[in-house]
Amino acid sequence: LLASPFERLPPVGGRCRVSDKKGNKVALRSNDGEGKDADERKKRSMNEPEKIDPRELSPLALAFVGDSVLELLVRQRLVEHHRLSAGKLNAEKVKYVSARAQFREEQLLEPLFTEDELAVFKRGRNASKASVAKHASPEEYRASTGFECLLGWLYLNGQLSRVHELFETLWQSFDPNEK
């Protein structure tokens, strides 16, 4: 028995028919779980995606971007100021972009966050993720996700000067060798 008054009939060409108990066709929908306009969205190529407002993105999508933002800024700073091999550059970079380091960076910067930035950070911190980093506690991992979420949100909203302001403060105040 189904919980709703509608029964699901066998799929028809990637879609499913939804009928009431008397067998009357009620709707024809996508059966891939992607919602009402999934077929239309699939017609667009990845090169022609719709423009999505950053406020509508999930915290984890924002963190996905924010992770890259922080990593690129750290890589750029290291390359511009140090003559190291790629392996040594990577070892230095990890001191800034690991979950544990991002947790400490966020704690350092949090007093500087605006009300909106703090709300975005908390939204990212509270987003559920299935996995936790090997070398970080759940608290550190959640906070690092929140920090990445904030950086992604700032970047996607075109607030690059704010991203650079926070990064400059981080770079001047953060000691990556402190435990």
Side-chain angles (χ1 to χ4, degrees):
L1 292 174
L2 297 175
S4 76
F6 300 104
E7 294 178 21
R8 220 170 233 231
L9 297 176
V12 177
R15 299 169 68 90
C16 68
R17 291 178 289 187
V18 178
S19 302
D20 63 16
K21 289 193 180 215
K22 294 180 183 175
N24 299 321
K25 182 176 157 187
V26 177
L28 187 63
R29 341 184 285 237
S30 169
N31 66 353
D32 58 10
E34 295 183 14
K36 180 173 130 185
D37 298 317
D39 293 334
E40 276 303 309
R41 288 192 303 266
K42 284 181 182 177
K43 287 179 186 175
R44 294 186 197 112
S45 77
M46 290 301 283
N47 295 331
E48 304 172 16
E50 65 180 302
K51 181 72 173 152
I52 300 172
D53 186 326
R55 292 173 295 188
E56 296 176 15
L57 292 172
S58 75
L60 298 181
L62 293 170
F64 174 76
V65 172
D67 176 60
S68 296
V69 169
L70 180 61
E71 184 153 336
L72 183 59
L73 289 169
V74 169
R75 284 174 180 243
Q76 178 182 359
R77 185 63 58 100
L78 289 172
V79 167
E80 288 176 345
H81 298 283
H82 302 282
R83 293 177 199 261
L84 298 171
S85 69
K88 289 182 181 177
L89 285 167
N90 189 58
E92 286 300 310
K93 173 209 60 156
V94 169
K95 293 178 183 179
Y96 290 90
V97 300
S98 69
R100 181 167 283 148
Q102 288 177 1
F103 170 73
R104 291 182 27 240
E105 293 161 359
E106 183 280 323
Q107 288 183 319
L108 178 77
L109 296 174
E110 189 174 329
L112 306 175
F113 292 170
T114 66
E115 190 176 314
D116 287 344
E117 291 169 348
L118 188 58
V120 171
F121 162 74
K122 287 179 179 180
R123 189 173 153 228
R125 182 191 63 197
N126 296 335
S128 62
K129 282 176 112 172
S131 62
V132 176
K134 289 186 280 186
H135 304 291
S137 70
E139 177 189 14
E140 290 169 332
Y141 195 59
R142 285 192 304 271
S144 70
T145 302
F147 184 48
E148 291 171 346
C149 179
L150 172 60
L151 292 175
W153 181 78
L154 289 169
Y155 178 83
L156 291 173
N157 278 303
Q159 297 183 41
L160 299 180
S161 62
R162 181 62 174 156
V163 170
H164 287 286
E165 179 184 338
L166 290 172
F167 180 74
E168 204 52 51
T169 302
L170 176 158
W171 195 262
Q172 298 303 320
S173 307
F174 180 73
D175 179 2
N177 297 311
E178 185 180 300
K179 298 281 176 180

